[in-house]
Amino acid sequence: MKALILVGGFGTRLRPLTLSVPKPLVEFANKPMILHQIEALKAVGVTEVVLAINYQPEVMLNFLKEFEASLGIKITCSQETEPLGTAGPLALARDKLIDDSGEPFFVLNSDVISEYPFKEMIEFHKSHGGEASLMVTKVDEPSKYGVVVMEESTGQVERFVEKPKLFVGNKINAGFYLLNPSVLDRIQLRPTSIEKEVFPKIAAEKKLYAMVLPGFWMDVGQPKDYITGLRLYLDSLKKNSSPKLASGSHIVGNVIVDESAKIGEGCLIGPDVAIGSGCVIESGVRLSRCTVMRGVRIKKHACISGSIIGWHSTVGQWARVENMTILGEDVHVCDEVYSNGGVVLPHKEIKSSILKPEIVM
């Protein structure tokens, strides 16, 4: 089986992290986002993954070469010269996706984190005999999204309603598809939307089916949702009794800590924290609802909550960092400095407090 991952563009919503690496390589729970997906695809028998990309393909490929070998899966790029929307990339990668087997192929949005129930999706696709399957997820506020209206018992999709003013349902497109090769005949090589142009036509022919995603779902393409997504991901690890979760008297709630990280005396860590490789957390530090990326040093008695600390940054003694502060790579927050929602570009030193959310160039 094959899969196409829609990687797309510049990852502007996750700046300043994406100024250092392409968005799919930004770590989520101590692993590059895209690797969560590739590992899940490999587990259900996918042998080749095609990345649809229009930005820095060489960076992506060089990075993923090592995983090709360790996972035993072929990873290639299909590079757009202009943005092709969500369907155009399928037409561009047509020759890479079609083979003699006639098997369906997966299409994934690269920003989505979930438990990836691909095995169930394959079974569902075989059972309904239609041309295309998509995953849907239930949301509390469907008016912010495109809603999928479907026949509950069979999953047959009737129509799509974009940002409905009146309630028509609470299921939205989760960004995972399983498509027969014949779907490619419906797509022209031009900028085009799979949700707005391709799927409604398949639904009109009663050949599109939707399966409700079990477990959690989050599009982690922006900081607020990244932090929420980490909580949901760690909750899922807890539910499945994962050995990845840290334990100890200094741990509160769900926390993952890379085995190479060092944590000092008298710290209190959690809930919902990820600490990356090579980090040094000095004594008396308080961390909650945050991600601390590779190579960071947090000095004594600092307090960090609801924030993302980029690679190789340092947070000084008695500093306080909170309210969706995002530090880019190699940012140095001096001792006793306060950051309230500062978004700091890479390679900066912060000597005075950031009292309200702002971007520090």
Side-chain angles (χ1 to χ4, degrees), residues 42-241:
K42 165 74 179 168
V44 295
V46 170
T47 53
E48 183 174 346
V49 174
V50 181
L51 308 177
I53 190 167
N54 59 22
Y55 172 61
Q56 291 186 322
E58 50 296 318
V59 180
M60 289 280 290
L61 279 180
N62 291 342
F63 179 85
L64 291 166
K65 274 284 168 274
E66 56 180 293
F67 296 107
E68 257 195 329
S70 61
L71 290 171
I73 191 167
K74 185 177 174 190
I75 302 171
T76 59
C77 268
S78 171
Q79 190 183 0
E80 307 164 27
T81 49
E82 57 166 342
L84 290 172
T86 50
L90 279 71
L92 187 65
R94 182 189 175 105
D95 294 345
K96 293 181 192 278
L97 293 171
I98 285 194
D99 55 22
D100 302 334
S101 71
E103 280 190 312
F105 59 89
F106 282 101
V107 178
L108 315 183
N109 279 345
S110 67
D111 293 354
V112 175
I113 285 288
S114 81
E115 289 175 11
Y116 305 122
F118 296 147
K119 184 166 170 283
E120 294 86 335
M121 196 173 185
I122 293 169
E123 288 162 6
F124 173 73
H125 187 76
K126 284 178 179 160
S127 71
H128 65 63
E131 195 174 1
S133 301
L134 78 153
M135 283 271 187
V136 293
T137 185
K138 293 179 180 173
V139 290
D140 295 334
E141 288 184 66
S143 60
K144 295 193 326 202
Y145 303 93
V147 171
V148 181
V149 182
M150 56 193 266
E151 217 291 307
E152 292 297 323
S153 57
T154 61
Q156 191 178 88
V157 174
E158 293 166 10
R159 60 198 166 101
F160 294 83
V161 184
E162 193 58 38
K163 297 185 177 167
K165 296 280 184 284
L166 297 169
F167 184 84
V168 289
N170 65 344
K171 297 179 192 73
I172 65 162
N173 177 355
F176 303 143
Y177 319 129
L178 190 53
L179 311 177
N180 287 352
S182 58
V183 172
L184 292 170
D185 298 332
R186 299 173 177 269
I187 304 171
Q188 296 172 346
L189 183 50
R190 60 178 176 83
T192 165
S193 160
I194 199 165
E195 301 87 354
K196 292 177 182 159
E197 297 178 59
V198 182
F199 281 163
K201 288 177 183 162
I202 304 176
E205 294 174 23
K206 302 198 179 332
K207 292 180 181 173
L208 178 64
Y209 289 80
M211 172 184 161
V212 178
L213 180 87
F216 78 98
W217 175 89
M218 200 73 216
D219 178 330
V220 293
Q222 52 189 338
K224 173 171 66 61
D225 297 332
Y226 178 104
I227 289 170
T228 303
L230 181 65
R231 173 175 61 80
L232 297 172
Y233 174 82
L234 295 174
D235 281 349
S236 162
L237 291 185
K238 175 80 171 172
K239 194 179 77 192
N240 297 317
S241 309

Side-chain angles (χ1 to χ4, degrees), residues 9-27:
F10 299 107
T12 46
R13 296 180 303 161
L14 261 189
R15 282 183 184 161
L17 302 172
T18 48
L19 295 173
S20 299
V21 298
K23 183 170 59 177
L25 301 185
V26 173
E27 287 100 334

Side-chain angles (χ1 to χ4, degrees), residues 288-309:
S288 65
R289 302 188 328 281
C290 63
T291 287
V292 179
M293 292 188 172
R294 187 178 65 246
V296 165
R297 177 178 286 266
I298 310 288
K299 296 187 178 175
K300 293 175 184 173
H301 307 292
C303 176
I304 299 173
S305 69
S307 298
I308 302 173
I309 310 299

Side-chain angles (χ1 to χ4, degrees), residues 310-323:
W311 310 271
H312 306 292
S313 293
T314 53
V315 174
Q317 297 185 34
W318 297 100
R320 186 179 182 100
V321 173
E322 63 187 24
N323 190 25

